[in-house]
């Protein structure tokens, strides 16, 4: 019996109690059974009685006792205890709990996937680093977290478009062009320019491809270096992200918002909705109507578009492309933008936090030999994606960046991530998967196959714990998608790996010595393969490989 099936059984018991007149209360829309922290409290627990007590006007313990009696009549439930103020602690019989292993093996890659977010069309924008240098460590964190979130959302039934906002408009690109030209001419870095060896590398490539560039009048030369330099830099960014396992469905060019008239269309839409006014020769947006600390200038007195004008046009463009959920992942330095973006969403008549969600990521610090690393090899003053991958590899980098809540500062110990020890979380999980594969190989060598399945034979306490952990996977994935927190999948995998290692140390799939092969051995192989399946499915949702050997 899976947790979802048990939830349905519990709902049915509540409905039967209401129909019999035992109490009167509607069951909640979401009825969750959870794995208790103390294994002595059964396989699953529910606080449904306490949730129903107020509406029913009855003591929660009395409601719990009524539900418990009805649950005991259900095949597969061995015991139901009422604890404390009204908790239901449910113990499944071994056959019912063990049957989950077969369900998982038969579902394969589909186990853990659901339709909880079916019908959601999500635009997920992340990384969006300026094309003025390599992706720095903050952007790398969003690459890992954003791609993992997209995978988790898709696993929950949502239609997801990964989008990269290509900032090819504005002062930062002009500074980039001036820096490239100065490097090509052997001049000092401009006062507000970009440093780092990559500037010289790209400038050299431009000169090699377009030798006439350094002979042009300075204004023409700068424009050529801007066009070609941005193209070369962005090609590097896309390749490094691809090598990191991150590809985007859409690369949206900021410049197109200004050249296509999208800004003017957004202003016209907001004017029709009464959210635009003119004052002091400028065009303003009434964001204070929706909690912003001040109204925002959209078009300045000189006729130039203010920064928020692009945000307005871009958000409207996404909504007009049919996305009912727009999720934007921003760095810690953008925290002050959240209020105005949510007010912007409301100005369009949308619901902040629903149609538009903003996720803020905190800083990442790299540590080696117990000391922080502050300088990158190529970008000069920042750590880049390539720096991190060169140090620990793609799998370790992705896993470590995705395993912590993105809204907390993250310290990455490079020494730890290069060790093949249990303290290294990605090694711990991947090693568990490699062990499951090795068990299958060794079982095949002695003739143990998946030809017999007797779930009532899975009675060891470590088997009960492992099965219960396996049953949690669909709930964890659904919760990670709903809360936009893919790190929950990583933490779950680490807990699952721990349960598997304990089972592996206690219960043998292969017989000892000359002992005959029994149905216990064959049934345990099902449990091993079920664990392999869940570990592989979970690692896939994080964009991390599931190796056959470690």
């Amino acid at each position: 019996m899976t947790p979802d099936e048990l939830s349905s059984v519990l709902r049915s018991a509540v409905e039967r109690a209401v129909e019999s007149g035992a109490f009167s209360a509607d069951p909640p829309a979401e009825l969750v059974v959870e794995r208790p922290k103390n294994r002595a409290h059964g396989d699953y627990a529910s606080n449904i009685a306490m949730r129903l007590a107020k509406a029913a006007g009855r003591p929660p313990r009395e409601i719990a006792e009524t539900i418990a009696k009805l649950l005991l009549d259900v095949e597969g439930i061995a015991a139901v205890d009422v604890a404390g103020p009204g908790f239901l602690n449910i113990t499944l019989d071994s056959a019912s709990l063990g049957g989950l292993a077969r369900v998982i093996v038969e579902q394969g890659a589909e186990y853990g996937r659901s339709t909880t977010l079916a019908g959601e069309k999500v635009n997920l924008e992340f990384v969006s680093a300026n094309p003025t240098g390599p992706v720095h460590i903050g952007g790398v964190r969003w690459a890992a977290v954003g791609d993992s979130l997209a995978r988790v959302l898709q696993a929950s039934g949502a239609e997801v478009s990964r989008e990269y906002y290509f900032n090819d408009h504005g002062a930062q690109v002009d500074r980039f062009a001036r820096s490239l030209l100065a490097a090509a001419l052997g001049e000092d870095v401009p006062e507000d320019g970009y440093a780092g060896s990559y500037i010289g590398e790209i400038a050299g490539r431009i000169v090699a491809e377009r030798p006439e560039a350094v002979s042009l009048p300075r204004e023409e030369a700068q424009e050529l270096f801007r066009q070609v330099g941005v193209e070369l830099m962005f090609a590097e960014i896309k390749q490094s992200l691809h090598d990191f396992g991150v590809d985007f469905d859409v690369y949206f060019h900021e410049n197109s918002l200004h050249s296509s008239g999208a800004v003017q269309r957004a202003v016209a839409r907001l004017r029709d909705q009464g959210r635009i006014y003119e004052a002091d020769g400028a065009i303003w947006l009434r964001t204070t109507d929706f909690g912003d600390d001040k109204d925002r200038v959209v078009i300045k007195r000189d006729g130039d578009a203010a920064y928020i004008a692009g945000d307005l046009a871009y958000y409207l463009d996404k909504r007009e492309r049919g996305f009912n959920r727009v999720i934007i992942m921003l760095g810690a330095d953008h925290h002050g933008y959240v209020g105005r973006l949510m007010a912007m969403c409301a100005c369009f008549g949308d619901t902040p936090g629903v149609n538009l969600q903003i996720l803020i990521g905190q800083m990442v610090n790299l540590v080696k030999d117990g000391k922080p690393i502050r300088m990158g090899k190529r970008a000069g003053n920042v750590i880049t994606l390539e720096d991190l991958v060169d140090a620990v590899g793609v799998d370790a980098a992705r896993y470590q960046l995705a395993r912590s809540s993105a809204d907390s500062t993250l310290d990455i110990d490079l020494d730890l991530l290069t060790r093949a020890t249990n303290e290294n979380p990605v090694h711990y999980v991947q090693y568990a998967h490699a062990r499951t594969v090795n068990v299958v190989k060794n079982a095949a060598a002695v003739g143990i196959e998946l030809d017999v399945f007797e779930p009532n034979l899975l009675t060891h306490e470590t088997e009960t714990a492992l099965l219960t952990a396996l049953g949690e996977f669909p709930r964890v994935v659904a919760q990670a998608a709903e809360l936009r927190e893919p790190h929950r999948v990583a933490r779950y995998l680490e807990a699952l790996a721990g349960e598997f290692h304990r089972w592996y140390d206690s219960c043998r799939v292969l017989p000892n010595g000359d002992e005959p092969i029994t149905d216990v051995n064959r049934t345990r192989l099902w449990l091993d393969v079920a664990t392999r399946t869940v570990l592989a499915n979970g690692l896939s949702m994080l964009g991390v490989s599931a190796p056959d050997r470690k």
Side-chain angles (χ1 to χ4, degrees):
M1 185 181 296
T2 68
D4 283 346
E5 290 171 338
L6 183 56
S7 293
S8 296
V9 166
L10 185 55
R11 178 178 296 279
S12 178
V14 172
E15 291 171 348
R16 281 188 288 149
V18 171
E19 290 173 2
S20 69
F23 56 83
S24 178
D26 294 328
E30 185 178 12
L31 203 162
V32 177
V33 293
E34 297 181 319
R35 185 184 181 192
K37 293 180 181 179
N38 188 336
R39 298 294 303 128
H41 294 166
D43 298 317
Y44 294 99
S46 173
N47 65 351
I48 183 61
M50 289 178 282
R51 296 176 67 184
L52 295 173
K54 184 175 181 180
R58 305 283 289 280
R61 190 172 179 90
E62 183 180 319
I63 293 175
E65 289 170 350
T66 299
I67 297 172
K69 292 177 182 178
L70 293 169
L71 289 175
L72 285 172
D73 294 334
V74 177
E75 183 179 356
I77 294 180
V80 183
D81 296 319
V82 177
F87 286 103
L88 287 167
N89 294 329
I90 303 168
T91 301
L92 304 181
D93 66 34
S94 57
S96 180
L97 185 61
L100 178 63
R102 183 167 198 143
V103 170
I104 294 171
V105 174
E106 290 176 345
Q107 289 189 8
E110 291 301 307
Y111 183 70
R113 305 181 73 86
S114 71
T115 58
T116 56
L117 297 182
E120 297 286 342
K121 191 174 182 183
V122 179
N123 180 283
L124 179 60
E125 180 197 335
F126 59 103
V127 182
S128 297
N130 290 337
T132 55
V135 180
H136 62 76
I137 192 65
V140 181
R141 185 178 198 179
W142 273 144
V145 174
D147 189 62
S148 297
L149 177 57
R151 293 166 184 255
V152 168
L153 291 169
Q154 289 170 323
S156 298
E159 180 183 343
V160 180
S161 177
R162 296 167 174 83
E163 187 151 315
Y164 190 114
Y165 187 52
F166 183 40
N167 301 343
D168 56 349
H169 180 89
Q172 78 281 354
V173 176
D174 293 335
R175 293 198 299 272
F176 178 60
R178 290 197 299 272
S179 302
L180 292 174
L181 180 57
L185 296 175
E187 299 173 352
D188 292 338
V189 177
E191 185 176 347
D192 61 347
Y194 294 92
S197 63
Y198 76 96
I199 290 292
E201 293 169 11
I202 293 176
R205 290 173 61 187
I206 295 173
V207 172
E209 293 179 14
R210 304 287 296 273
E212 77 281 6
V214 292
S215 303
L216 294 171
R218 195 169 189 96
E219 188 173 327
E220 292 181 32
Q222 182 173 311
E223 177 59 21
L224 188 148
F225 273 85
R226 186 190 72 80
Q227 292 178 355
V228 181
V230 166
E231 183 179 323
L232 290 174
M233 189 72 255
F234 196 52
E236 280 198 22
I237 290 172
K238 287 201 285 187
Q239 184 61 52
S240 62
L241 287 169
H242 172 76
D243 294 341
F244 197 57
V246 179
D247 293 294
F248 290 85
D249 303 297
V250 175
Y251 292 95
F252 191 97
H253 289 255
E254 179 185 5
N255 200 47
S256 69
L257 295 171
H258 300 272
S259 61
S260 68
V263 169
Q264 289 73 20
R265 289 195 300 274
V267 171
R269 172 73 67 86
L270 291 165
R271 193 187 299 277
D272 290 342
Q273 294 181 227
R275 301 302 177 192
I276 289 288
Y277 67 95
E278 296 185 17
D280 300 325
I283 296 176
W284 299 72
L285 181 65
R286 298 182 188 277
T287 52
T288 52
D289 288 352
F290 299 102
D292 197 5
D293 59 346
K294 61 181 179 180
D295 288 344
R296 302 290 170 175
V297 174
V298 179
I299 305 296
K300 294 181 283 188
R301 279 181 287 184
D302 61 6
D304 289 341
Y307 190 83
I308 196 174
D311 292 333
L312 298 174
Y314 190 32
Y315 177 73
L316 180 60
D317 180 87
K318 291 182 179 186
R319 294 288 280 124
E320 288 180 338
R321 279 185 273 151
F323 296 105
N324 63 326
R325 296 282 186 273
V326 174
I327 303 175
I328 304 175
M329 309 176 82
L330 299 174
D333 56 338
H334 288 75
H335 195 276
Y337 283 43
V338 176
R340 75 187 70 170
L341 290 176
M342 289 303 178
M344 171 200 74
C345 168
C347 284
F348 278 112
D350 286 346
T351 304
V354 177
N355 300 110
L356 174 64
Q357 293 179 305
I358 307 294
L359 305 181
I360 297 291
Q362 295 301 323
M363 299 296 292
V364 179
N365 302 311
L366 298 188
V367 178
K368 185 171 177 59
D369 300 326
K371 299 177 181 179
I373 299 174
R374 302 195 182 280
M375 301 290 282
K377 298 175 183 177
R378 186 165 180 248
N381 61 343
V382 294
I383 304 297
T384 68
L385 188 159
E386 287 80 3
D387 293 328
L388 180 58
V389 170
D390 286 346
V392 301
V394 171
D395 276 354
R398 283 193 63 132
Y399 189 94
Q400 188 67 17
L401 288 165
R403 75 181 289 266
S404 297
S405 175
D407 63 3
S408 61
T409 301
L410 175 62
D411 292 327
I412 295 182
D413 187 334
L414 299 182
D415 296 316
L416 175 66
L417 291 183
T418 55
R419 294 189 204 125
T421 65
N422 288 346
E423 288 74 31
N424 178 351
V426 67
H427 171 81
Y428 188 63
V429 175
Q430 288 184 320
Y431 179 56
H433 182 271
R435 256 189 168 180
T436 64
V437 174
N438 194 51
V439 168
V440 173
K441 291 179 180 177
N442 291 338
V446 299
I448 301 176
E449 300 178 356
L450 299 176
D451 53 354
V452 173
F453 181 66
E454 295 291 345
N456 58 301
L457 299 176
L458 299 175
T459 57
H460 193 276
E461 62 181 3
T462 61
E463 290 171 330
T464 299
L466 180 55
L467 284 161
T468 305
L470 291 170
E472 287 289 287
F473 184 55
R475 183 187 65 81
V476 169
V477 175
Q479 190 175 55
E482 184 65 30
L483 298 177
R484 318 309 193 217
E485 295 180 342
H487 71 273
R488 292 174 177 270
V489 175
R491 296 307 175 121
Y492 163 82
L493 291 175
E494 292 164 35
L496 176 62
E499 298 291 5
F500 170 76
H501 289 309
R502 283 185 282 276
W503 172 73
Y504 180 92
D505 293 338
S506 301
C507 298
R508 293 183 57 84
V509 173
L510 275 63
N512 275 314
D514 296 329
E515 290 180 354
I517 296 171
T518 68
D519 287 348
V520 171
N521 303 116
R522 298 183 180 94
T523 302
R524 283 177 174 169
L525 181 60
W526 283 85
L527 183 53
D528 176 84
V529 176
T531 306
R532 181 188 69 183
T533 299
V534 174
L535 288 169
N537 290 356
L539 286 168
S540 177
M541 290 181 191
L542 299 174
V544 177
S545 69
D548 289 350
R549 60 181 64 187
K550 191 70 175 170

